[in-house]
Amino acid sequence: MQLIDNNIELLSIHIPKTGGSSFQKTLQSLYPADAFQRMDFTVRKVRGNPRMIASNQTSQDLLDQIYEQRKLPANIRAVHGHFRYEDI
């Protein structure tokens, strides 16, 4: 496992039917828009290597940037979404 540079203060896994949408709204009210990131993804093998595959293009662009640069953009402090703990 290779770690990435980040400034994360909060990582929230949205488990369906547990109030995650309401919690997301709370996070969005607490963090500036550029500091909060919603990410929904799964990990799949791409050309034999594990790769995070997002459910939308905006999240995929960010995941590709993280994969290539080995860091999360410095402004992102809170991440919330559907993913497995093992994958993050």
Side-chain angles (χ1 to χ4, degrees):
M1 172 186 359
Q2 187 175 17
L3 300 179
I4 63 169
D5 290 332
N6 66 79
N7 292 321
I8 294 293
E9 297 172 358
L10 184 129
L11 180 65
S12 170
I13 299 173
H14 181 161
I15 299 168
K17 307 299 178 201
T18 62
S21 296
S22 297
F23 188 59
Q24 176 179 327
K25 289 177 185 174
T26 299
L27 292 175
Q28 289 173 310
S29 72
L30 296 172
Y31 284 93
D34 69 336
F36 175 82
Q37 181 64 48
R38 171 71 190 238
M39 289 199 312
D40 298 312
F41 65 89
T42 59
V43 173
R44 296 192 185 130
K45 293 258 183 186
V46 176
R47 286 177 237 132
N49 296 316
R51 191 69 184 256
M52 294 177 176
I53 307 297
S55 61
N56 63 66
Q57 191 58 49
T58 302
S59 290
Q60 188 62 54
D61 291 344
L62 177 61
L63 290 172
D64 290 343
Q65 177 185 348
I66 293 166
Y67 182 80
E68 292 168 13
Q69 298 178 5
R70 305 307 308 159
K71 65 181 178 179
L72 195 63
N75 56 300
I76 297 176
R77 297 184 351 242
V79 174
H80 174 79
H82 294 272
F83 47 83
R84 293 176 352 137
Y85 173 78
E86 296 83 8
D87 294 337
I88 199 70

